[in-house]
Amino acid sequence: MRINKESFKSDFKRKLTTLYAESIRSASNFHKYYALASLVKDYSSEKWMNSNDYYSSQKKKQVYYFSMEFLIGRLLGSNLLNLGIRDLCREALAELDINLDELEELEHDAGLGNGGLGRLAACFLDSMASVGIAGHGCGIRYDYGLFEQKIVNGYQVEIPDNWLKNGNVWEVRREDKAVVVKFGGKVTPVLENDTLTFEHTDYEAVLAIPYDTPIVGYKNNTVNTLRLWSAETIDKDFDLDSFSKGEYTKAVEHKYSVQSISQVLYPDDTRIDGKILRLKQQYFFVSAGLQSILRTFRKTRKPITKLDEYIQIQINDTHPAVAVAELMRILVDEEQVSWDDAWRITTNVMSYTNHTILTEALEKWPIELFKKLLPRIFMIITEINERFCKKIYEKYNDLNLVHDMAIVCDGYVKMAFLAIVGSHSVNGVAKLHTQILKERELNNFYKFFPQKFNNKTNGITHRRWLLKSNPELSKLINKTIGDNWITEPIKLINLLAYSKDKDFQDKMYEIKQANKAEFAKYFYETHGINIDPNSIFDVQVKRLHAYKRQLLNVFNILDLYYRLKENPNLDIVPRTFFFGAKAAPGYYLAKQTIKLINTVADIIDKDQAVNNKIKVIFLENYSVSLAEKIIPCADISEQISTTTKEASGTGNMKLMMNGAITIATLDGANVEICDQVGEENIIIFGMKKDEVMELEKTKRYNSMDYYNSDPRIKRILDNLVNGSLGVSPSEFADIHKYLLANNDEFFVLKDFAAYLDAQNKIDELYRNQDKWREMSIVNIAHSGAFSSDNTIKKYARDIWRINQ
């Protein structure tokens, strides 16, 4: 961009005056932040317009990434970086006595996602823009995020994440692009002049208003769009007649009912009203998104039968799977395309990413609920199902197989099955995950559609997770191998030549220690807790779920604590264990695990005999911005899920990219990390895939055997329920029951001994700093293979059929 410091300062002052009629001296920091962000959006707006004009004039094939989540984090720093003006901005603001870091801290993380699913979507948007693909996001503009997590007396407490309370400077409301989404009502077939149509009456009409956010590519003049939909009433916000009669609640209840669709991420669906709202959300953004895409396509004046040559839609997990039926509805009912042609177009347009093998993610809806809320869509899915079941029977002559593969069966509409049948591509997100899908979970579909199944291992945007989050390490890498890795991340491999270089090792170690010291300073200022930056930073940050096995981690800490109590002179390298995770509000076991972590942290903190050797920190309200602080500090990356349960993981990639050594099971993308760095540069423990699958098949696992045979396990589990942790014996009774009476679903006790051995190996390795630093450099060098730029290029080539 043709901007220098003087022009930037002039633009910034003008923006501050225009927005607030304030001088730099009188403006608050928040007003300075808002003015700066507004200016940065201005700088990107012309590129945004030009990108859209170029896609339109050149009739470029466009990709739409449909996702319930987009965990985009803060945008000010990344947009400055991608525009290529972050250093200039920092220097110019410093001359105005303004600290850029302080302004960046004022931006609220967007409440648009929860975990890896949403962060992957955000990384993919960044990469599509940065490699020059016309790729856009489609989702929901939630008024409130999942929740803001507070820890009170060790318990998770959820409070509303009102991320929009101060507005969102990055978005543009496009009221002229609004569409209507219809729920409920009655659908009547009408035969007129030998043409069958469907009349939809008595429906609830909801207005979908799009809010667009620019997605800035890295120094390439490409700006794509994240379009998020907000639900509003069409005409009557306020029922004056009801109000006049004194029915005050009724006067506004319709408005609030409609607005609830886009009010909160993942409403509790344990009750029927929550299920209805969740399904409404999914159809709402899918229908709005598809209507918008078709409206834009019509302007090209290309025949609708060529839609698949210009449009690709990626379904991110099962949440948007209803897109298959909705596109069929639009093509058949509104565009009068024949069923066979509409099906060809739909399957060529749609592609589906499966993210897990856990049954909770293979979403299904009760037929009666689905049929009542989406009557025409249910009719279309029923037709798809009947035609598909007929093909199964014709091929196999097996009614049992028809039953097992039916989309509509046993009282449910099965969304994963709909996505598979209605797409031309079905991909897993790690080599092992895809293998399991093909061999076990979706084996019937793989045999029927072998050509559809493929693997696309997840990736992360190295610009946010290394270049932005770890600037000093990035500068060292630039000095050492040049900066081509920023646009060609695979070139990080050139760092291998320096893995044994003592000077490079020392400089990298100094940067890591400075990062740790900076985090310790930040944490003391915000929480009043001291952290030893010379300790090993052992980090497990991810969504809290039983299969991710935070319990295994905390049990190791308890065992280490007991050993230190028995032998205060036990020689260990001081260790700080970090946990960061949110538990779903209705997930009791996960919330009790948080309580256990904080209980153990409190016990250790109060015990002066050990608190100089070990410490436990729970990172409250873990978020993208907090991840950017802790990940550059990490020495150890905990990736300890039960093998076969984690689809891929992306935290493992972010941590290795910043030089952390991974302790892991051979699960998800850990397998590929191990393949890249070699077994000597990762610490592997625990059961392999075949062992886990055999135990699950034979049901020969008995957790009581481990309880009775390993005194360490017995002591830990007994202490959960005997009051020795300083809480009521009943406090952790459900964890105790889960592991013993319910037989330890994710084999925590089975892998316990191996995990402790691996932890001891870490302690030994860390003492040999030459070897440790070499391992760290090897991990950074190989991390370029996991850039989302590489992943997106594979999607473009193999799935979307876009030539780069």
Side-chain angles (χ1 to χ4, degrees):
M1 296 186 70
R2 296 177 182 175
I3 302 169
N4 57 42
K5 283 196 289 185
E6 293 308 313
S7 66
F8 181 89
K9 287 190 287 187
S10 177
D11 291 343
F12 176 71
K13 290 175 183 177
R14 189 180 304 112
K15 180 62 70 173
L16 196 58
T17 301
T18 302
L19 288 176
Y20 300 111
E22 290 178 327
S23 66
I24 290 174
R25 178 176 296 179
S26 62
S28 67
N29 266 0
F30 181 77
H31 283 181
K32 291 172 187 174
Y33 153 72
Y34 210 91
L36 175 60
S38 298
L39 178 60
V40 172
K41 188 170 77 170
D42 288 350
Y43 286 157
S44 65
S45 292
E46 186 175 353
K47 299 175 188 291
W48 197 7
M49 177 186 68
N50 291 341
S51 294
N52 287 326
D53 287 348
Y54 174 72
Y55 298 152
S56 177
S57 64
Q58 299 299 310
K59 297 180 172 54
K60 300 287 287 184
K61 180 181 278 191
Q62 301 199 48
V63 178
Y64 296 88
Y65 200 82
F66 277 35
S67 179
M68 281 290 282
E69 299 184 37
F70 288 95
L71 198 58
I72 56 177
R74 296 168 174 169
L75 292 180
L76 176 56
S78 61
N79 283 347
L80 284 168
L81 185 74
N82 285 358
L83 288 170
I85 59 172
R86 195 170 188 219
D87 290 341
L88 180 149
C89 172
R90 184 183 300 280
E91 293 169 11
L93 290 176
E95 291 178 7
L96 298 173
D97 200 25
I98 299 171
N99 186 312
L100 175 60
D101 294 334
E102 290 179 3
L103 299 192
E104 288 185 7
E105 283 295 314
L106 294 174
E107 183 173 356
H108 201 302
D109 280 51
L112 300 172
N114 175 33
L117 183 83
R119 187 51 233 171
L120 179 78
C123 284
F124 277 8
L125 291 186
D126 179 279
S127 284
M128 281 191 276
S130 294
V131 303
I133 291 173
H136 316 287
C138 178
I140 296 177
R141 180 186 182 266
Y142 301 104
D143 296 332
Y144 296 88
L146 185 69
F147 59 83
E148 185 177 338
Q149 182 191 55
K150 295 291 185 184
I151 301 300
V152 180
N153 296 326
Y155 297 99
Q156 171 179 290
V157 175
E158 303 98 22
I159 64 174
D161 176 19
N162 189 7
W163 73 283
L164 287 170
K165 64 182 177 182
N166 293 317
N168 177 11
V169 65
W170 303 108
E171 66 186 9
V172 178
R173 179 181 166 96
R174 309 277 195 192
E175 201 155 354
D176 60 315
K177 307 291 186 184
V179 298
V180 175
V181 179
K182 301 173 182 178
F183 296 102
K186 181 181 178 182
V187 175
T188 306
V190 178
L191 185 62
E192 188 174 330
N193 298 326
D194 293 327
T195 301
L196 183 65
T197 59
F198 294 86
E199 183 180 4
H200 194 177
T201 57
D202 300 328
Y203 53 79
E204 177 191 17
V206 173
L207 194 65
I209 304 285
Y211 287 75
D212 289 352
T213 298
I215 303 298
V216 181
Y218 182 74
K219 294 184 179 181
N220 67 351
N221 294 319
T222 296
V223 180
N224 289 336
T225 302
L226 170 59
R227 174 161 286 183
L228 302 173
W229 297 90
S230 181
E232 298 184 13
T233 53
I234 289 181
D235 45 22
K236 191 168 60 173
D237 281 355
F238 184 76
D239 186 344
L240 183 60
D241 184 56
S242 294
F243 187 84
S244 299
K245 294 176 182 177
E247 298 171 346
Y248 305 123
T249 302
K250 186 179 178 182
V252 292
E253 64 183 9
H254 176 63
K255 173 184 176 182
Y256 292 147
S257 173
V258 168
Q259 290 177 343
S260 69
I261 295 172
S262 57
Q263 190 163 51
V264 66
L265 171 66
Y266 294 144
D268 182 7
D269 62 354
T270 56
R271 298 181 304 171
I272 189 65
D273 54 348
K275 290 183 187 298
I276 293 170
L277 181 55
R278 183 84 71 104
L279 182 54
K280 268 191 167 184
Q281 286 186 329
Q282 293 179 9
Y283 182 69
F284 169 75
F285 90 86
V286 161
S287 178
L290 284 170
Q291 289 184 64
S292 175
I293 291 167
L294 267 291
R295 181 170 57 191
T296 301
F297 179 76
R298 292 183 192 107
K299 294 177 182 177
T300 68
R301 301 190 181 280
K302 295 287 183 182
I304 194 69
T305 52
K306 292 185 178 292
L307 180 72
D308 54 311
E309 296 178 20
Y310 296 93
I311 300 296
Q312 290 288 295
I313 293 172
Q314 191 72 36
I315 299 170
N316 191 29
D317 217 7
T318 54
H319 309 120
V322 72
V324 171
E326 174 65 1
L327 182 54
M328 286 294 292
R329 182 194 69 79
I330 294 172
L331 292 173
V332 173
D333 292 2
E334 297 181 9
E335 300 292 338
Q336 285 77 53
V337 177
S338 72
W339 180 278
D340 289 342
D341 282 345
W343 186 244
R344 174 190 61 78
I345 295 165
T346 296
T347 53
N348 284 339
V349 164
M350 298 292 171
S351 46
Y352 164 52
T353 300
N354 176 287
H355 278 277
T356 183
I357 62 173
L358 296 181
T359 54
E360 65 195 50
L362 296 178
E363 195 170 43
K364 58 185 181 181
W365 295 103
I367 285 175
E368 288 309 310
L369 183 156
F370 196 100
K371 184 177 180 180
K372 183 177 181 181
L373 189 66
L374 306 174
R376 178 60 181 139
I377 296 300
F378 180 74
M379 293 169 67
I380 290 169
I381 291 175
T382 300
E383 180 70 18
I384 293 170
N385 181 61
E386 288 178 358
R387 290 173 181 241
F388 176 56
C389 288
K390 183 179 178 182
K391 289 181 180 179
I392 299 169
Y393 188 75
E394 288 173 350
K395 184 171 184 177
Y396 297 109
N397 193 29
D398 185 341
L399 287 175
N400 289 327
L401 193 60
V402 171
H403 174 273
D404 292 343
M405 297 176 69
I407 300 167
V408 183
C409 187
D410 296 331
Y412 288 97
V413 180
K414 300 179 180 180
M415 305 309 289
F417 293 3
L418 175 65
I420 295 167
V421 174
S423 299
H424 68 273
S425 167
V426 178
N427 73 280
V429 291
K431 184 170 67 174
L432 176 63
H433 172 233
T434 301
Q435 182 184 350
I436 292 170
L437 291 179
K438 293 195 293 188
E439 293 178 358
R440 188 175 71 176
E441 299 304 315
L442 299 176
N443 180 251
N444 289 335
F445 287 93
Y446 172 61
K447 288 177 179 176
F448 196 87
F449 299 117
Q451 76 284 358
K452 288 190 181 187
F453 282 75
N454 63 95
N455 178 62
K456 297 291 175 283
T457 298
N458 284 343
I460 60 171
T461 173
H462 58 287
R463 284 169 293 275
R464 180 179 287 267
W465 295 109
L466 180 53
L467 188 61
K468 177 178 179 292
S469 301
N470 206 338
E472 294 306 314
L473 178 58
S474 299
K475 289 175 187 174
L476 176 62
I477 293 171
N478 289 347
K479 257 186 222 181
T480 307
I481 62 169
D483 63 2
N484 286 345
W485 64 273
I486 300 173
T487 52
E488 299 176 73
I490 202 69
K491 290 192 174 179
L492 282 170
I493 199 66
N494 293 329
L495 284 174
L496 276 182
Y498 299 88
S499 63
K500 298 181 190 296
D501 184 284
K502 191 71 168 61
D503 181 59
F504 185 81
Q505 285 186 353
D506 290 347
K507 287 176 180 175
M508 191 191 70
Y509 174 76
E510 289 170 8
I511 291 167
K512 176 74 76 172
Q513 289 304 113
N515 289 341
K516 290 163 74 172
E518 182 65 24
F519 186 85
K521 178 175 178 286
Y522 155 80
F523 204 76
Y524 180 77
E525 290 174 349
T526 54
H527 294 80
I529 297 174
N530 283 307
I531 298 173
D532 178 8
N534 294 312
S535 63
I536 297 174
F537 277 25
D538 186 317
V539 176
Q540 186 177 20
V541 285
K542 54 183 71 249
R543 181 170 57 91
L544 211 148
H545 195 288
Y547 83 82
K548 296 178 185 285
R549 299 203 294 190
Q550 283 91 349
L551 278 177
L552 185 58
N553 192 344
V554 77
F555 285 177
N556 166 64
I557 297 168
L558 277 170
D559 180 74
L560 181 56
Y561 173 69
Y562 295 143
R563 284 191 285 143
L564 282 167
K565 292 300 289 180
E566 291 169 350
N567 178 12
N569 296 318
L570 183 68
D571 184 21
I572 67 165
V573 180
R575 183 96 64 109
T576 303
F577 298 91
F578 293 89
F579 293 85
K582 289 182 178 180
Y587 193 175
Y588 181 73
L589 180 68
K591 295 176 83 168
Q592 284 303 106
T593 301
I594 289 176
K595 172 63 174 174
L596 177 60
I597 292 167
N598 284 297
T599 299
V600 173
D602 192 50
I603 290 169
I604 291 171
D605 192 55
K606 291 177 179 176
D607 193 335
Q608 295 183 2
V610 302
N611 63 15
N612 64 331
K613 291 188 175 181
I614 57 174
K615 196 173 192 70
V616 179
I617 301 291
F618 190 89
L619 300 170
E620 182 182 74
N621 202 41
Y622 186 64
S623 61
V624 174
S625 55
L626 187 50
E628 290 179 45
K629 290 181 171 65
I630 188 61
I631 286 174
C633 310
D635 297 302
I636 299 295
S637 167
E638 296 273 355
Q639 308 298 329
I640 59 177
S641 56
T642 308
T643 301
T644 75
K645 304 306 178 188
E646 182 77 85
S648 173
T650 53
N652 45 8
M653 303 168 187
K654 295 162 194 161
L655 286 153
M656 76 174 290
M657 188 172 278
N658 283 272
I661 308 303
T662 308
I663 177 172
T665 54
L666 283 174
D667 192 27
N670 300 340
V671 176
E672 288 151 273
I673 291 175
C674 184
D675 290 343
Q676 287 285 330
V677 304
E679 291 186 6
E680 67 277 13
N681 293 301
I682 188 173
I683 299 164
I684 298 296
F685 77 96
M687 289 187 292
K688 309 295 191 294
K689 179 195 78 165
D690 291 343
E691 295 174 82
V692 172
M693 295 176 76
E694 179 66 17
L695 279 184
E696 290 178 333
K697 180 181 178 181
T698 62
K699 302 189 185 303
R700 289 177 181 168
Y701 176 67
N702 186 349
S703 62
M704 286 298 298
D705 292 343
Y706 295 89
Y707 172 80
N708 290 323
S709 62
D710 190 329
R712 300 169 299 182
I713 291 175
K714 187 176 189 307
R715 174 166 60 178
I716 290 168
L717 294 192
D718 286 350
N719 287 351
L720 287 181
V721 292
N722 64 13
S724 64
L725 296 182
V727 295
S728 166
S730 63
E731 180 70 70
F732 302 120
D734 286 317
I735 295 178
H736 187 274
K737 179 182 177 182
Y738 162 76
L739 293 170
L740 295 181
N742 296 347
N743 204 36
D744 184 16
E745 178 185 7
F746 296 113
F747 309 120
V748 172
L749 306 187
K750 169 75 173 172
D751 277 344
F752 177 78
Y755 181 60
L756 263 59
D757 290 342
Q759 288 287 355
N760 291 334
K761 183 178 179 182
I762 288 173
D763 192 88
E764 294 171 12
L765 281 169
Y766 194 80
R767 296 169 191 269
N768 182 351
Q769 274 295 306
D770 288 344
K771 174 60 178 172
W772 186 269
R773 296 174 196 181
E774 178 187 345
M775 291 171 66
S776 182
I777 296 165
V778 168
N779 273 268
I780 298 168
H782 285 286
S783 67
F786 297 102
S787 166
S788 51
D789 285 12
N790 302 331
T791 310
I792 283 298
K793 288 176 182 178
K794 292 172 185 175
Y795 272 88
R797 180 192 66 210
D798 302 337
I799 297 177
W800 304 328
R801 300 182 293 270
I802 295 174
N803 295 320
Q804 280 297 105

